[in-house]
Amino acid sequence: MASSEGIVARAMRAMQLYLRNSTKVKMARQEVFDLINFDSPESLSKCLMRSDQELGGYSTANLDWDEKEKCAHFHGNLSLDLPPSRPEITRSGYAMFRTKDRPRNYKNDDLYWNLTDLTHIAMRVKGDRRKYFVNLQSKTALPTEIHQHRLFLYDPGNWEVAVIPLNLFLLTHWGRVEHHQVIDKARVKTVGIGLLDRRYGPFSLKIGWIKAISDDEALRYLQERRERYEIWKQNNPQAAAEEQKLIEKREFEKKTREETMDL
C-alpha cells in the first residue's frame, strides 16, 4: 500500500503540472477576436445607422438582412444636396453604420474591446466601386474623434476578405485628419463602415463579419488576396496608382510621427 507521503508527493507533482499547463493556455496569444458576426437577422440589432438626414440632408441608408447570402446589406442612395432650411450646413452627403456602445459595467464605466495582441482588422465583404471607410472608435480626447482607413476592394461584385493594419488607421475629427495618434488597442469601443466619397447615387456593400486578427492570420488572408490584387492592378491602373500614393502618404505620416516622438 502506498504511503500517505507518496500520495501527497504525487498529488503535488500533478498540481504543479496542471498549473504549468494552465498558465501556458492563459498566456497563449490571441489570434482572432470577433467584433461583429452577421450570421442572423438578430445580429443587425447590434448596430446603429447614421446619415446626413440627421442634419436635414437627403441621403438614405439601410442595414438589412440578406436572406439569400446570409449576411448584412448596407445600402442606400447618397445625396450631396444641402437642406434649404439649414444655411449653416455647407456640406452634406454621408452614410454609415457602426456597432452600438457596449453596456456600462456596475461602476458605470465604459467597456472596451482589448485588442492589444492583435494587429489587423479583417472583414468579409462584397461591394461595389464606391469609396468606403472603416471606422474605429476608441478612447480619445473627444467623443467625435474616430480612427479611419480606406476600405480597398479588389474584386467588386464578389466576396473577398479585406485586411487593414491597425497602425495605419488615422485619427480624424468630422472627416478631417488630426495629428497622427496611434489607436489605443486596449480601449476600442466600436467598429463600423461609412461612405464619404462625395458622389451622388446608389451604393451597396454586403458584410459577413468583421474581426481583429493577428499577424499570422493576416498573412494567411493576404496570401489568398494577393492573386486577386495583381489582377485588379492590371485592370485598374489608375486606382492602383491612387492606392499607392495613399499608402506612401500614410507611411510618411507614420515616419514623421515616430521621428517627432524621438525628439
Side-chain angles (χ1 to χ4, degrees):
M1 182 175 179
S3 67
S4 59
E5 182 179 355
I7 295 174
V8 171
R10 287 198 297 272
M12 288 295 294
R13 286 197 296 271
M15 179 60 71
Q16 289 170 352
L17 180 62
Y18 170 79
L19 290 174
R20 282 200 300 269
N21 291 337
S22 298
T23 302
K24 289 178 181 179
V25 171
K26 289 177 182 178
M27 294 181 66
R29 184 180 178 187
Q30 188 176 22
E31 297 291 333
V32 178
F33 184 86
D34 289 336
L35 299 177
I36 179 73
N37 189 6
F38 292 111
D39 55 359
S40 68
E42 291 73 27
S43 62
L44 302 180
S45 64
K46 299 177 182 179
C47 297
L48 57 82
M49 298 291 305
R50 295 188 62 186
S51 74
D52 56 50
Q53 286 193 11
E54 300 171 341
L55 305 176
Y58 299 96
S59 297
T60 60
N62 307 278
L63 187 67
D64 301 323
W65 174 251
D66 187 306
E67 182 60 34
K68 181 179 180 181
E69 302 207 62
K70 306 298 182 183
C71 64
H73 188 196
F74 176 47
H75 64 101
N77 190 81
L78 203 68
S79 173
L80 309 185
D81 293 341
L82 300 176
S85 60
R86 301 283 301 276
E88 74 278 11
I89 303 297
T90 60
R91 185 172 178 173
S92 186
Y94 70 87
M96 60 83 71
F97 77 89
R98 70 167 176 84
T99 54
K100 294 179 180 178
D101 294 339
R102 300 175 64 192
R104 292 171 176 257
N105 64 15
Y106 70 97
K107 295 181 180 180
N108 203 34
D109 296 327
D110 288 328
L111 294 179
Y112 302 95
W113 292 318
N114 187 347
L115 311 181
T116 303
D117 291 339
L118 305 170
T119 56
H120 294 70
I121 295 296
M123 57 195 68
R124 184 172 183 266
V125 291
K126 177 181 179 181
D128 50 23
R129 299 183 183 276
R130 302 296 292 262
K131 293 181 180 179
Y132 300 93
F133 283 81
V134 181
N135 303 321
L136 289 176
Q137 186 180 19
S138 64
K139 182 68 174 179
T140 55
L142 299 173
T144 49
E145 291 179 326
I146 57 174
H147 283 80
Q148 293 185 306
H149 193 286
R150 172 82 180 276
L151 173 58
F152 290 103
L153 301 181
Y154 299 130
D155 196 8
N158 294 296
W159 284 101
E160 58 186 296
V161 175
V163 179
I164 306 171
L166 277 164
N167 63 0
L168 290 186
F169 278 79
L170 291 178
L171 183 67
T172 65
H173 185 242
W174 293 113
R176 298 182 182 276
V177 177
E178 301 285 284
H179 58 285
H180 193 123
Q181 176 181 321
V182 177
I183 190 167
D184 185 351
K185 294 197 296 183
R187 294 191 289 182
V188 177
K189 294 181 66 175
T190 67
V191 63
I193 298 175
L195 179 64
L196 299 163
D197 63 0
R198 304 290 298 159
R199 286 172 47 204
Y200 284 94
F203 63 90
S204 175
L205 181 71
K206 295 182 180 181
I207 311 98
W209 46 257
I210 305 176
K211 303 177 181 180
I213 61 175
S214 67
D215 282 331
D216 290 340
E217 284 292 305
L219 181 60
R220 181 171 68 85
Y221 285 123
L222 289 171
Q223 287 174 337
E224 297 173 357
R225 185 179 172 89
R226 187 168 290 117
E227 291 184 6
R228 286 185 173 184
Y229 176 61
E230 293 301 325
I231 296 173
W232 176 81
K233 282 202 304 183
Q234 294 175 9
N235 296 333
N236 302 273
Q238 184 175 353
E242 178 185 345
E243 180 194 28
Q244 184 59 36
K245 288 180 180 179
L246 180 59
I247 292 173
E248 291 174 356
K249 176 185 176 183
R250 290 180 183 276
E251 288 295 333
F252 174 78
E253 291 170 341
K254 179 184 176 183
K255 182 179 179 181
T256 302
R257 184 193 79 244
E258 292 173 347
E259 291 175 348
T260 301
M261 291 175 65
D262 291 337
L263 294 178

Coordinates of all heavy atoms in Angstrom, one line a residue, residues 144-223:
T144 N -16.1 62.7 -30.6 CA -16.4 62.8 -32.0 C -15.2 62.4 -32.8 O -15.2 62.4 -34.1 CB -16.9 64.2 -32.4 OG1 -16.0 65.2 -31.8 CG2 -18.3 64.4 -31.9
E145 N -14.1 62.0 -32.2 CA -12.9 61.6 -32.9 C -13.0 60.1 -33.2 O -13.4 59.3 -32.3 CB -11.6 61.9 -32.1 CG -11.3 63.4 -32.0 CD -10.1 63.6 -31.2 OE1 -9.8 62.9 -30.2 OE2 -9.4 64.6 -31.5
I146 N -12.6 59.7 -34.4 CA -12.5 58.3 -34.8 C -11.3 58.0 -35.6 O -10.7 58.9 -36.2 CB -13.8 57.8 -35.6 CG1 -14.0 58.6 -36.8 CG2 -15.0 57.9 -34.7 CD1 -15.1 58.1 -37.7
H147 N -10.9 56.8 -35.6 CA -9.7 56.4 -36.5 C -10.3 55.8 -37.7 O -11.3 54.9 -37.7 CB -8.9 55.3 -35.8 CG -7.9 56.0 -34.7 ND1 -8.4 56.3 -33.5 CD2 -6.6 56.3 -34.8 CE1 -7.3 56.8 -32.8 NE2 -6.3 56.8 -33.6
Q148 N -9.8 56.2 -38.9 CA -10.3 55.7 -40.2 C -9.3 55.2 -41.1 O -8.1 55.6 -41.0 CB -11.0 56.9 -40.9 CG -12.3 57.4 -40.2 CD -13.0 58.5 -41.0 OE1 -12.4 59.5 -41.4 NE2 -14.3 58.3 -41.3
H149 N -9.7 54.3 -42.0 CA -8.9 53.8 -43.1 C -9.7 53.4 -44.2 O -10.8 52.9 -44.1 CB -8.0 52.6 -42.6 CG -6.9 52.3 -43.6 ND1 -7.1 51.7 -44.8 CD2 -5.6 52.5 -43.5 CE1 -6.0 51.5 -45.4 NE2 -5.0 52.0 -44.7
R150 N -9.3 53.7 -45.4 CA -10.0 53.4 -46.7 C -10.2 51.9 -46.8 O -9.3 51.1 -46.5 CB -9.2 53.9 -47.9 CG -9.8 53.5 -49.2 CD -10.9 54.3 -49.7 NE -11.4 53.8 -51.0 CZ -10.8 54.1 -52.2 NH1 -9.8 55.0 -52.2 NH2 -11.2 53.6 -53.3
L151 N -11.3 51.4 -47.2 CA -11.6 50.0 -47.4 C -11.4 49.8 -48.9 O -12.3 50.1 -49.7 CB -13.1 49.7 -47.0 CG -13.6 48.3 -47.4 CD1 -12.7 47.2 -46.8 CD2 -15.0 48.1 -46.9
F152 N -10.3 49.2 -49.3 CA -10.0 48.9 -50.7 C -10.6 47.5 -51.1 O -10.3 46.5 -50.4 CB -8.5 48.9 -50.9 CG -7.8 50.2 -50.8 CD1 -7.1 50.6 -49.7 CD2 -8.0 51.2 -51.9 CE1 -6.5 51.9 -49.6 CE2 -7.4 52.4 -51.8 CZ -6.7 52.8 -50.7
L153 N -11.4 47.6 -52.1 CA -12.0 46.3 -52.7 C -11.3 46.0 -54.0 O -11.3 46.9 -54.9 CB -13.5 46.5 -52.8 CG -14.3 46.8 -51.5 CD1 -15.8 46.9 -51.8 CD2 -14.0 45.7 -50.5
Y154 N -10.7 44.8 -54.1 CA -10.0 44.5 -55.3 C -10.8 43.6 -56.3 O -10.4 43.3 -57.4 CB -8.7 43.7 -55.0 CG -7.8 44.6 -54.2 CD1 -7.2 44.1 -53.0 CD2 -7.5 45.9 -54.6 CE1 -6.4 44.9 -52.2 CE2 -6.7 46.7 -53.8 CZ -6.1 46.2 -52.6 OH -5.3 47.0 -51.9
D155 N -12.0 43.2 -55.8 CA -12.8 42.3 -56.7 C -14.3 42.7 -56.5 O -15.1 41.9 -56.0 CB -12.6 40.9 -56.3 CG -13.1 39.9 -57.4 OD1 -13.5 40.3 -58.4 OD2 -13.1 38.7 -57.1
P156 N -14.7 43.9 -56.9 CA -16.1 44.4 -56.7 C -17.1 43.4 -57.4 O -16.8 42.9 -58.5 CB -16.1 45.7 -57.5 CG -14.7 46.2 -57.4 CD -13.8 45.0 -57.5
G157 N -18.2 43.2 -56.6 CA -19.2 42.2 -57.1 C -19.0 40.8 -56.7 O -19.9 40.0 -56.9
N158 N -17.9 40.5 -56.0 CA -17.6 39.2 -55.5 C -17.1 39.3 -54.0 O -16.6 40.3 -53.6 CB -16.5 38.5 -56.3 CG -16.9 38.2 -57.7 OD1 -17.9 37.5 -58.0 ND2 -16.3 38.9 -58.7
W159 N -17.3 38.2 -53.3 CA -16.8 38.2 -51.9 C -15.3 38.2 -51.8 O -14.6 37.5 -52.6 CB -17.4 36.9 -51.2 CG -18.9 37.0 -50.9 CD1 -19.9 36.4 -51.5 CD2 -19.4 37.7 -49.8 NE1 -21.1 36.8 -50.9 CE2 -20.8 37.6 -49.8 CE3 -18.9 38.5 -48.8 CZ2 -21.7 38.1 -48.9 CZ3 -19.8 39.1 -47.8 CH2 -21.2 38.9 -47.9
E160 N -14.8 38.9 -50.9 CA -13.4 38.9 -50.6 C -13.2 39.3 -49.1 O -14.1 39.8 -48.4 CB -12.7 40.0 -51.5 CG -13.2 41.4 -51.4 CD -12.5 42.3 -52.4 OE1 -11.3 42.5 -52.3 OE2 -13.3 42.8 -53.3
V161 N -12.0 39.0 -48.6 CA -11.6 39.4 -47.3 C -10.6 40.6 -47.3 O -9.5 40.4 -47.9 CB -11.0 38.2 -46.5 CG1 -10.5 38.7 -45.1 CG2 -12.0 37.1 -46.3
A162 N -11.0 41.7 -46.8 CA -10.1 42.9 -46.8 C -9.4 42.9 -45.4 O -10.0 42.6 -44.4 CB -10.9 44.2 -46.9
V163 N -8.1 43.2 -45.5 CA -7.3 43.2 -44.3 C -6.5 44.6 -44.2 O -5.9 45.0 -45.1 CB -6.2 42.1 -44.3 CG1 -5.3 42.1 -43.1 CG2 -6.9 40.7 -44.5
I164 N -6.6 45.2 -43.0 CA -6.1 46.5 -42.8 C -5.2 46.5 -41.5 O -5.7 46.2 -40.4 CB -7.2 47.6 -42.6 CG1 -8.1 47.6 -43.8 CG2 -6.5 49.0 -42.5 CD1 -9.4 48.5 -43.7
P165 N -4.0 46.9 -41.6 CA -3.1 47.0 -40.3 C -3.7 48.1 -39.4 O -4.1 49.2 -39.8 CB -1.8 47.4 -40.8 CG -1.8 47.1 -42.3 CD -3.2 47.3 -42.8
L166 N -3.8 47.8 -38.1 CA -4.3 48.7 -37.1 C -3.5 50.0 -37.0 O -4.0 51.0 -36.7 CB -4.4 48.0 -35.8 CG -5.7 47.2 -35.6 CD1 -5.5 46.3 -34.4 CD2 -6.9 48.1 -35.4
N167 N -2.2 49.8 -37.2 CA -1.3 51.0 -37.1 C -1.4 52.0 -38.2 O -0.7 53.0 -38.2 CB 0.1 50.6 -36.8 CG 0.7 49.8 -38.0 OD1 0.1 49.6 -39.0 ND2 2.0 49.4 -37.8
L168 N -2.2 51.7 -39.3 CA -2.4 52.6 -40.4 C -3.6 53.4 -40.3 O -3.9 54.3 -41.1 CB -2.3 51.9 -41.7 CG -1.0 51.3 -42.1 CD1 -1.0 50.7 -43.5 CD2 0.1 52.3 -42.1
F169 N -4.5 53.2 -39.3 CA -5.7 54.0 -39.1 C -5.3 55.4 -38.6 O -4.4 55.6 -37.8 CB -6.6 53.3 -38.1 CG -7.4 52.2 -38.6 CD1 -6.9 51.0 -38.8 CD2 -8.8 52.4 -38.9 CE1 -7.7 49.9 -39.3 CE2 -9.6 51.4 -39.4 CZ -9.0 50.2 -39.6
L170 N -5.9 56.4 -39.2 CA -5.6 57.8 -38.9 C -6.7 58.4 -38.0 O -7.9 58.1 -38.3 CB -5.5 58.6 -40.2 CG -4.3 58.4 -41.1 CD1 -4.4 59.2 -42.3 CD2 -3.0 58.6 -40.3
L171 N -6.3 59.2 -37.1 CA -7.3 59.9 -36.2 C -7.9 61.0 -37.0 O -7.2 61.9 -37.6 CB -6.6 60.4 -35.0 CG -7.5 61.1 -33.9 CD1 -8.5 60.1 -33.3 CD2 -6.7 61.7 -32.9
T172 N -9.3 61.1 -37.0 CA -10.0 62.1 -37.7 C -11.0 62.7 -36.8 O -11.5 62.1 -35.8 CB -10.7 61.6 -39.0 OG1 -11.7 60.6 -38.6 CG2 -9.7 60.9 -39.9
H173 N -11.4 63.9 -37.2 CA -12.5 64.7 -36.4 C -13.4 65.3 -37.4 O -13.0 66.2 -38.2 CB -11.9 65.7 -35.5 CG -12.9 66.4 -34.6 ND1 -13.1 67.8 -34.7 CD2 -13.7 65.9 -33.7 CE1 -14.1 68.1 -33.8 NE2 -14.4 67.0 -33.2
W174 N -14.6 64.8 -37.5 CA -15.6 65.3 -38.5 C -15.0 65.2 -39.9 O -15.1 66.1 -40.7 CB -16.1 66.7 -38.2 CG -16.9 66.8 -37.0 CD1 -16.6 67.5 -35.8 CD2 -18.2 66.3 -36.7 NE1 -17.6 67.3 -34.9 CE2 -18.6 66.6 -35.4 CE3 -19.1 65.5 -37.5 CZ2 -19.8 66.2 -34.9 CZ3 -20.3 65.1 -37.0 CH2 -20.6 65.5 -35.7
G175 N -14.3 64.1 -40.2 CA -13.8 63.9 -41.5 C -12.4 64.5 -41.8 O -11.8 64.3 -42.9
R176 N -11.9 65.3 -40.9 CA -10.6 66.0 -41.1 C -9.5 65.2 -40.3 O -9.7 64.9 -39.1 CB -10.6 67.4 -40.7 CG -11.6 68.3 -41.5 CD -11.6 69.7 -41.1 NE -12.5 70.5 -41.8 CZ -12.3 71.1 -43.0 NH1 -11.1 70.9 -43.6 NH2 -13.2 71.8 -43.7
V177 N -8.4 65.0 -41.0 CA -7.3 64.2 -40.3 C -6.7 65.1 -39.2 O -6.3 66.2 -39.5 CB -6.2 63.8 -41.3 CG1 -5.1 63.1 -40.6 CG2 -6.8 62.9 -42.4
E178 N -6.6 64.5 -38.0 CA -5.9 65.2 -36.9 C -4.4 64.8 -36.9 O -4.0 64.1 -37.8 CB -6.6 64.8 -35.6 CG -8.1 65.2 -35.5 CD -8.3 66.6 -35.3 OE1 -8.1 67.1 -34.2 OE2 -8.7 67.3 -36.3
H179 N -3.7 65.1 -35.8 CA -2.4 64.6 -35.7 C -2.4 63.1 -35.6 O -3.4 62.5 -35.2 CB -1.7 65.2 -34.4 CG -2.5 64.9 -33.2 ND1 -3.7 65.5 -32.8 CD2 -2.3 63.9 -32.2 CE1 -4.1 65.0 -31.7 NE2 -3.3 64.0 -31.3
H180 N -1.3 62.5 -36.1 CA -1.3 61.0 -36.2 C -1.2 60.4 -34.8 O -0.1 60.4 -34.3 CB -0.2 60.6 -37.1 CG -0.3 59.1 -37.5 ND1 -0.4 58.7 -38.8 CD2 -0.5 58.0 -36.8 CE1 -0.5 57.4 -38.9 NE2 -0.6 56.9 -37.6
Q181 N -2.3 60.0 -34.3 CA -2.2 59.4 -33.0 C -2.5 57.9 -33.1 O -3.6 57.5 -33.7 CB -3.3 60.0 -32.1 CG -3.4 59.4 -30.7 CD -4.5 60.1 -29.8 OE1 -4.6 61.3 -29.9 NE2 -5.2 59.3 -29.1
V182 N -1.7 57.0 -32.6 CA -1.9 55.6 -32.7 C -3.1 55.2 -31.9 O -3.3 55.7 -30.8 CB -0.6 54.8 -32.2 CG1 -0.9 53.3 -32.2 CG2 0.6 55.2 -33.0
I183 N -3.9 54.3 -32.5 CA -5.1 53.9 -31.8 C -4.8 53.1 -30.5 O -3.8 52.4 -30.4 CB -6.0 53.0 -32.7 CG1 -7.3 52.8 -32.1 CG2 -5.3 51.7 -33.1 CD1 -8.3 52.2 -33.1
D184 N -5.5 53.4 -29.5 CA -5.4 52.7 -28.2 C -6.0 51.3 -28.3 O -7.3 51.2 -28.1 CB -6.0 53.5 -27.1 CG -5.8 52.9 -25.7 OD1 -5.3 51.8 -25.6 OD2 -6.1 53.6 -24.7
K185 N -5.3 50.3 -28.6 CA -5.8 49.0 -28.9 C -6.5 48.3 -27.7 O -7.3 47.4 -27.8 CB -4.8 48.1 -29.5 CG -4.3 48.5 -30.9 CD -3.6 47.4 -31.6 CE -2.3 47.0 -31.0 NZ -1.6 46.0 -31.7
A186 N -6.1 48.8 -26.5 CA -6.7 48.2 -25.3 C -8.0 48.8 -25.0 O -8.7 48.3 -24.1 CB -5.7 48.4 -24.1
R187 N -8.4 49.9 -25.7 CA -9.7 50.5 -25.4 C -10.4 50.9 -26.6 O -10.7 52.1 -26.9 CB -9.5 51.8 -24.5 CG -8.9 51.4 -23.1 CD -8.9 52.6 -22.1 NE -7.9 53.6 -22.5 CZ -7.7 54.7 -21.8 NH1 -8.5 54.9 -20.7 NH2 -6.8 55.5 -22.1
V188 N -10.8 49.9 -27.4 CA -11.6 50.1 -28.6 C -13.1 49.9 -28.3 O -13.5 48.9 -27.6 CB -11.2 49.1 -29.7 CG1 -12.1 49.3 -31.0 CG2 -9.7 49.3 -30.1
K189 N -13.9 50.9 -28.7 CA -15.3 50.9 -28.4 C -16.2 50.3 -29.4 O -17.1 49.5 -29.2 CB -15.8 52.3 -28.0 CG -15.1 52.9 -26.8 CD -15.7 54.3 -26.5 CE -17.1 54.2 -26.1 NZ -17.6 55.6 -25.7
T190 N -16.1 50.8 -30.7 CA -17.0 50.4 -31.8 C -16.2 50.2 -33.1 O -15.1 50.7 -33.2 CB -18.1 51.4 -32.0 OG1 -17.5 52.6 -32.5 CG2 -18.8 51.7 -30.7
V191 N -16.9 49.5 -34.0 CA -16.3 49.4 -35.4 C -17.5 49.6 -36.3 O -18.7 49.3 -36.0 CB -15.7 48.0 -35.6 CG1 -16.7 46.9 -35.5 CG2 -15.0 48.0 -37.0
G192 N -17.2 50.2 -37.5 CA -18.3 50.5 -38.5 C -17.7 50.8 -39.8 O -16.5 50.8 -40.0
I193 N -18.6 51.0 -40.8 CA -18.2 51.3 -42.1 C -19.0 52.5 -42.6 O -20.2 52.6 -42.4 CB -18.4 50.1 -43.1 CG1 -17.5 49.0 -42.6 CG2 -18.1 50.5 -44.5 CD1 -17.7 47.7 -43.4
G194 N -18.4 53.5 -43.3 CA -19.1 54.7 -43.8 C -18.8 54.9 -45.2 O -17.8 54.4 -45.8
L195 N -19.6 55.7 -45.9 CA -19.4 56.1 -47.3 C -19.3 57.6 -47.3 O -20.2 58.4 -46.9 CB -20.6 55.7 -48.1 CG -20.6 56.1 -49.6 CD1 -19.4 55.4 -50.3 CD2 -21.9 55.7 -50.3
L196 N -18.2 58.1 -47.8 CA -17.9 59.6 -47.8 C -17.2 60.0 -49.1 O -16.4 60.8 -49.1 CB -17.0 59.9 -46.6 CG -17.4 59.6 -45.2 CD1 -16.3 59.7 -44.3 CD2 -18.5 60.7 -44.8
D197 N -17.7 59.4 -50.2 CA -16.9 59.7 -51.5 C -17.4 60.9 -52.3 O -16.9 61.1 -53.4 CB -16.9 58.4 -52.3 CG -18.3 58.0 -52.8 OD1 -19.3 58.7 -52.5 OD2 -18.3 57.0 -53.5
R198 N -18.4 61.6 -51.7 CA -18.9 62.8 -52.4 C -19.4 62.6 -53.8 O -19.1 63.4 -54.7 CB -17.7 63.9 -52.4 CG -17.1 64.2 -51.1 CD -18.0 65.0 -50.2 NE -18.4 66.3 -50.8 CZ -19.5 67.0 -50.5 NH1 -20.3 66.5 -49.6 NH2 -19.7 68.1 -51.1
R199 N -20.1 61.5 -53.9 CA -20.7 61.2 -55.3 C -22.2 60.9 -55.1 O -22.6 60.1 -54.2 CB -20.0 60.0 -55.9 CG -18.6 60.2 -56.4 CD -18.0 58.9 -56.9 NE -18.9 58.1 -57.6 CZ -18.8 56.8 -57.7 NH1 -17.8 56.1 -57.1 NH2 -19.6 56.1 -58.5
Y200 N -23.0 61.4 -55.9 CA -24.4 61.1 -56.0 C -24.6 59.6 -56.4 O -23.8 59.1 -57.1 CB -25.2 62.0 -56.9 CG -25.4 63.4 -56.5 CD1 -24.5 64.4 -56.8 CD2 -26.6 63.7 -55.7 CE1 -24.8 65.7 -56.4 CE2 -26.8 65.0 -55.3 CZ -25.9 66.0 -55.7 OH -26.2 67.3 -55.3
G201 N -25.7 59.0 -55.9 CA -26.1 57.7 -56.4 C -26.2 56.6 -55.4 O -25.8 56.7 -54.3
P202 N -26.6 55.4 -55.9 CA -26.8 54.3 -55.1 C -25.5 53.7 -54.6 O -24.5 53.8 -55.3 CB -27.6 53.3 -55.9 CG -27.2 53.7 -57.3 CD -27.0 55.2 -57.3
F203 N -25.5 52.9 -53.5 CA -24.4 52.2 -53.0 C -24.8 50.9 -52.4 O -26.0 50.7 -52.0 CB -23.6 53.0 -52.0 CG -24.3 53.3 -50.7 CD1 -24.3 52.5 -49.6 CD2 -25.1 54.5 -50.6 CE1 -25.0 52.8 -48.5 CE2 -25.8 54.8 -49.5 CZ -25.7 53.9 -48.4
S204 N -23.9 49.9 -52.4 CA -24.3 48.6 -51.9 C -23.0 47.9 -51.4 O -22.1 47.7 -52.2 CB -24.9 47.7 -53.0 OG -25.2 46.4 -52.6
L205 N -23.1 47.5 -50.2 CA -22.0 46.7 -49.6 C -22.5 45.6 -48.7 O -23.3 45.9 -47.8 CB -21.1 47.6 -48.8 CG -19.9 47.0 -48.1 CD1 -18.8 46.6 -49.1 CD2 -19.2 47.9 -47.0
K206 N -22.1 44.4 -48.9 CA -22.6 43.3 -48.1 C -21.4 42.9 -47.2 O -20.3 42.9 -47.6 CB -23.0 42.1 -48.9 CG -24.3 42.4 -49.8 CD -24.8 41.3 -50.6 CE -26.0 41.7 -51.4 NZ -26.6 40.6 -52.2
I207 N -21.8 42.6 -45.9 CA -20.8 42.2 -44.9 C -21.1 40.9 -44.2 O -22.2 40.8 -43.7 CB -20.7 43.4 -43.9 CG1 -20.6 44.7 -44.5 CG2 -19.5 43.1 -42.9 CD1 -21.9 45.5 -44.6
G208 N -20.1 40.0 -44.2 CA -20.4 38.8 -43.5 C -19.9 38.8 -42.0 O -20.6 38.4 -41.1
W209 N -18.7 39.4 -41.8 CA -18.2 39.6 -40.5 C -17.0 40.6 -40.5 O -16.5 40.9 -41.5 CB -17.7 38.2 -39.9 CG -16.8 37.4 -40.8 CD1 -17.2 36.3 -41.5 CD2 -15.4 37.6 -41.1 NE1 -16.2 35.8 -42.2 CE2 -15.1 36.5 -42.0 CE3 -14.5 38.5 -40.8 CZ2 -13.8 36.4 -42.6 CZ3 -13.2 38.4 -41.3 CH2 -12.8 37.4 -42.2
I210 N -16.7 41.1 -39.3 CA -15.6 42.0 -39.0 C -14.9 41.4 -37.8 O -15.5 41.2 -36.8 CB -16.0 43.4 -38.8 CG1 -16.9 43.9 -40.0 CG2 -14.8 44.3 -38.6 CD1 -17.4 45.3 -39.8
K211 N -13.5 41.3 -37.9 CA -12.7 40.7 -36.9 C -11.5 41.5 -36.7 O -11.0 42.2 -37.6 CB -12.3 39.2 -37.2 CG -13.5 38.3 -37.5 CD -13.0 36.9 -37.9 CE -14.1 36.0 -38.2 NZ -13.7 34.6 -38.5
A212 N -10.9 41.4 -35.5 CA -9.5 41.8 -35.3 C -8.7 40.5 -35.3 O -9.0 39.5 -34.6 CB -9.4 42.5 -33.9
I213 N -7.5 40.5 -36.0 CA -6.7 39.3 -36.1 C -5.2 39.6 -35.9 O -4.8 40.7 -35.9 CB -6.9 38.7 -37.6 CG1 -6.5 39.7 -38.6 CG2 -8.4 38.3 -37.8 CD1 -6.5 39.1 -40.0
S214 N -4.5 38.5 -35.8 CA -3.1 38.6 -35.5 C -2.3 38.7 -36.8 O -2.9 38.5 -37.9 CB -2.6 37.3 -34.7 OG -2.7 36.2 -35.6
D215 N -1.0 38.8 -36.7 CA -0.1 38.9 -37.9 C -0.2 37.5 -38.7 O -0.3 37.6 -39.9 CB 1.3 39.1 -37.5 CG 1.6 40.5 -37.2 OD1 1.0 41.4 -37.7 OD2 2.5 40.8 -36.4
D216 N -0.2 36.4 -38.0 CA -0.3 35.1 -38.7 C -1.6 35.0 -39.5 O -1.6 34.5 -40.6 CB -0.1 34.0 -37.7 CG 1.3 33.9 -37.1 OD1 2.2 34.5 -37.7 OD2 1.4 33.3 -36.0
E217 N -2.7 35.3 -38.9 CA -4.0 35.3 -39.5 C -4.0 36.2 -40.7 O -4.5 35.9 -41.8 CB -5.1 35.6 -38.6 CG -5.4 34.5 -37.6 CD -6.0 33.3 -38.3 OE1 -7.1 33.4 -39.0 OE2 -5.5 32.2 -38.2
A218 N -3.5 37.4 -40.5 CA -3.4 38.4 -41.6 C -2.6 37.9 -42.8 O -3.0 38.1 -44.0 CB -2.8 39.7 -41.1
L219 N -1.5 37.3 -42.5 CA -0.7 36.7 -43.6 C -1.4 35.7 -44.4 O -1.4 35.6 -45.6 CB 0.6 36.1 -43.0 CG 1.6 35.5 -44.0 CD1 2.1 36.6 -45.0 CD2 2.8 34.9 -43.3
R220 N -2.2 34.9 -43.7 CA -3.0 33.8 -44.4 C -4.0 34.5 -45.4 O -4.1 34.0 -46.5 CB -3.7 33.0 -43.4 CG -4.5 31.8 -44.0 CD -5.0 30.9 -42.9 NE -6.0 31.5 -42.0 CZ -7.3 31.5 -42.3 NH1 -7.7 31.0 -43.4 NH2 -8.1 32.1 -41.4
Y221 N -4.7 35.5 -44.9 CA -5.7 36.1 -45.7 C -5.0 36.9 -46.9 O -5.5 36.9 -48.0 CB -6.6 37.1 -44.9 CG -7.6 36.4 -44.1 CD1 -7.6 36.6 -42.7 CD2 -8.6 35.6 -44.6 CE1 -8.6 36.0 -41.9 CE2 -9.5 35.0 -43.9 CZ -9.5 35.2 -42.5 OH -10.5 34.6 -41.7
L222 N -3.9 37.6 -46.6 CA -3.2 38.4 -47.6 C -2.6 37.5 -48.7 O -2.6 37.9 -49.9 CB -2.1 39.2 -46.9 CG -2.6 40.3 -46.1 CD1 -1.4 40.9 -45.3 CD2 -3.2 41.4 -46.9
Q223 N -2.2 36.3 -48.4 CA -1.7 35.4 -49.4 C -2.8 35.0 -50.3 O -2.6 34.9 -51.6 CB -1.1 34.1 -48.7 CG 0.2 34.4 -48.1 CD 0.7 33.2 -47.3 OE1 0.0 32.3 -46.9 NE2 2.0 33.2 -47.1

